[in-house]
Amino acid sequence: MASHAKIAELFARQLFKLSMVGGAVSPEQVAGVLEYVEKHRPANPVVVLKAYHRFVAAELAKSEAVVEHAGAVNDAMLAAIAAAMTRQYGRPVVATAKPSAALIAGLRVRVGDDVYESSVAGQLAALASAV
Amino acid sequence: MSTVLEQIEQQIAKLSSKGVKKNTGNIRTIADGVAKIDGLSDVMYNEMVQFPGNAIGIALNLEEDEVGCVILGDISNLKEGDEVTTTGRLLSVPVGKVLLGRTVDALGNPVDGKGPIDAKEFYPVERIAPGVVVRKSVSQALFTGIMAIDSMIPIGRGQRELIIGDRGTGKTTITIDTIINQARINRVGLASGDPKFRPVYSIYVAVGQKNSNIARTITALEAAGALEFTTIVAAPAADNPANLYLAPYSGAAMGEWFMENGMDALIVYDDLSKHAVAYRQISLILKRPSGREAYPGDVFYLHSRLLERAARLEGKGSLTALPIIETLAGDVSAYISTNVISITDGQIFLETDLFNQGIRPAISVGLSVSRVGSAAQIKATKQVGGKLKGELAQFRELAAFAQFGSDLDAKTKAQLDRGNRIVELFKQPAFSPLPIELQVAVLFAMQKGFFESIDIRKVVDAAASLKSFFTTRKDALLVEIRTKGALDAELEAKLQAACDEWKSSFAA
């Protein structure tokens, strides 16, 4: 017999599937789902909504390239990254800049689970693990 | 100097690549050495994943939303939300002769304080077992040095022979004796300069054993000079279940290197009962469906894929496996026992009652079998011990039956008397394996009735005296038996004469 957490997770996944239109998260559908949950509260609403939030966030992250940078990044560079990632993943990807001094120099681009590392901090970490 | 600079330049070249793609995830929960991870959408089954702080894990459960990983190493610094990355590599361990004489953990890291291991090659821990085409039938003997086994339940190179029995019945001792015997044979063979001689290297995998027991085993092997031909893979009871689960596969990978490179190796899994328990623990934490005795459904595959890796390969070497299973109250029909019995090519069953009666090794002849049989025996052993198993099994039946009646006919009395003598003759102290030529000499003396007139209580002393007589005074004859491997009329006459000489001196 499935546990309460597992049942909540399954329910959240069903809600997540309802939130997708044409392979992308639809804001209208999300609003509809939230309204439904408000009206018909499930057994563990917080657990369901947390799992739902995780699924939606993971899906949205696939369409966003977060560009962490330690130096200056201009709009042209962001546009080039967005275009490259759109080609790579076959879906529209938007690039957003996020300054990070911890990188020392270079870039780190995160799209969903994938991380493209081209920073001095990353190279130093690789060197440290190789020694 | 230039080599040093080249090394640095290579390192720089590696690091100055334009960008590295990593697939990442985050720890959602972590407990009992198992982590549930969000993300890792590109991870492969059994792939190594990198946790912070140099801890590594293996992806065992690939689910729709999460990945279940067992963690190898220190988990005390890991916490929820930590980033985990894929490595694109399967777990591998160092292999080769550099591991001989060393004690390593389940990942091949040295734990004996003898410095780092400079391994040139690495083998994946999980490998598909050799197929039917490359396999060759088992026909070369692997001498354990235990007379009862070599004469009645022979083991061949490439065979899987289970050693099963209750706790404290001498299962580990049999395997240690076997390892010591291989080392002794290796030394003699290598010293002889015979180009056809094939040494047997040993791997002892301790799964869930007490550290004190492992230390004792290492000391015994060292004292017998066998450690230089042996690698010990230690996953003691205090280790995390992931290491206990992996240790036999790591040992198998180390053994496979010898087999693949045209050498012979022996691997001992001590023991697979604890291995199954460790796997059950991991499976339950991973929330895999449980079946009989709460073991997961693939517990048979757990052991079958491990033991199938032992084989004799066409044109290459062999890997012989001696798995150990611990029974409870002598119950061989338990779940894990029957699984492993059905996978192996025979079993040596040790009985608590026999052990307590002082019959050591406490081998139950009726329940022990080698499915390879006499194919893995030299001709000399077949000549002197071919009928022993039947005789001894018959004796045990008769002995049990004779307890109910006092009037026995002369024939039955003679059978019982002979059986008792054989039992006495097969008694052998721990860590003192007998060379096969000496076994042949003792069995020859027994077959020719040299022990018939000796009081049963003195048979053990007589056998010791005979062994001492042969080793000290008839060394040339022993060498002849070893080199010929069969008894011809001339050799039989020499043996007869030697036994006569011993008998006269012993009686005197």
Side-chain angles (χ1 to χ4, degrees), chain A residues 33-80:
Chain A
V33 163
L34 292 176
E35 197 182 325
Y36 173 84
V37 174
E38 182 64 35
K39 278 184 187 167
H40 309 90
R41 285 206 169 184
N44 296 303
V46 177
V47 179
V48 171
L49 285 175
K50 274 188 176 173
Y52 177 64
H53 178 269
R54 205 173 63 240
F55 294 142
V56 173
E59 188 58 35
L60 290 175
K62 289 178 187 171
S63 303
E64 186 185 16
V66 180
V67 182
E68 291 179 62
H69 58 93
V73 173
N74 56 32
D75 289 345
M77 199 184 279
L78 283 179

Side-chain angles (χ1 to χ4, degrees), chain B residues 131-259:
Chain B
V132 285
V133 178
V134 293
R135 280 177 192 255
K136 204 174 167 190
S137 61
V138 175
S139 59
Q140 291 175 326
L142 183 131
F143 302 116
T144 61
I146 297 162
M147 205 152 65
I149 297 175
D150 289 340
S151 60
M152 296 189 293
I153 318 145
I155 299 171
R157 295 187 186 194
Q159 189 176 341
R160 290 85 45 94
E161 182 80 6
L162 169 67
I163 298 169
I164 184 168
D166 280 7
R167 63 183 296 276
T169 49
K171 302 182 294 297
T172 303
T173 308
I174 285 181
T175 60
I176 301 301
D177 275 354
T178 310
I179 292 174
I180 291 173
N181 199 42
Q182 303 320 306
R184 193 192 52 74
I185 294 171
N186 289 353
R187 270 197 301 275
V188 174
L190 294 171
S192 73
D194 180 3
K196 285 183 183 169
F197 176 73
R198 295 167 67 91
V200 176
Y201 299 99
S202 306
I203 297 139
Y204 176 82
V205 185
V207 183
Q209 303 293 316
K210 284 181 277 188
N211 270 318
S212 57
N213 282 355
I214 300 173
R216 200 182 309 148
T217 301
I218 295 170
T219 310
L221 292 175
E222 211 159 19
L227 199 59
E228 60 181 296
F229 297 104
T230 311
T231 301
I232 294 175
V233 181
D239 230 338
N240 67 45
N243 284 346
L244 266 64
Y245 157 65
L246 278 175
Y249 298 102
S250 302
M254 292 167 194
E256 276 170 337
W257 181 85
F258 291 103
M259 179 171 71

Side-chain angles (χ1 to χ4, degrees), chain A residues 6 9 13 17 54-55 88-89 110 113-118 123 126-127 130, chain B residues 11 15 18-24 28 38-42 63-65 83:
Chain A
K6 199 79 190 167
E9 189 115 348
R13 178 153 284 282
K17 282 178 182 166
R54 205 173 63 240
F55 294 142
Q88 168 86 9
Y89 291 98
R110 184 184 290 273
D113 296 344
D114 294 335
V115 176
Y116 299 86
E117 180 84 54
S118 186
Q123 290 184 3
L127 184 64
Chain B
Q11 188 76 38
L15 292 173
K18 283 193 174 172
V20 182
K21 186 190 172 191
K22 296 185 292 186
N23 190 251
T24 63
R28 194 201 294 174
D38 273 335
L40 290 184
S41 52
D42 288 350
E63 292 175 30
E64 199 175 359
D65 309 321
E83 191 175 89

Side-chain angles (χ1 to χ4, degrees), chain B residues 4 14 20 43 46 49 53 124 142 151 178 180 204 213 225 236 264 298 302 340 354 399 403 426 433 435 471 478 484:
Chain B
V4 176
K14 260 195 268 173
V20 182
V43 76
N46 262 342
V49 293
L142 183 131
S151 60
T178 310
I180 291 173
Y204 176 82
N213 282 355
D264 293 324
D298 64 344
L302 173 82
V340 182
L354 292 177
Q403 285 179 341
F426 279 157
T471 44
L478 292 178
K484 279 188 177 172

Side-chain angles (χ1 to χ4, degrees), chain B residues 160 249 272 275-276 279 292 295-308 334-344:
Chain B
R160 290 85 45 94
Y249 298 102
L272 291 188
H275 182 234
Y279 186 59
R292 184 176 158 189
Y295 286 106
D298 64 344
V299 75
F300 183 88
Y301 179 56
L302 173 82
H303 290 149
S304 65
R305 74 175 193 267
L306 172 71
L307 294 168
E308 275 293 295
Y335 189 23
I336 303 301
S337 319
T338 46
N339 277 357
V340 182
I341 285 172
S342 69
I343 298 163
T344 49

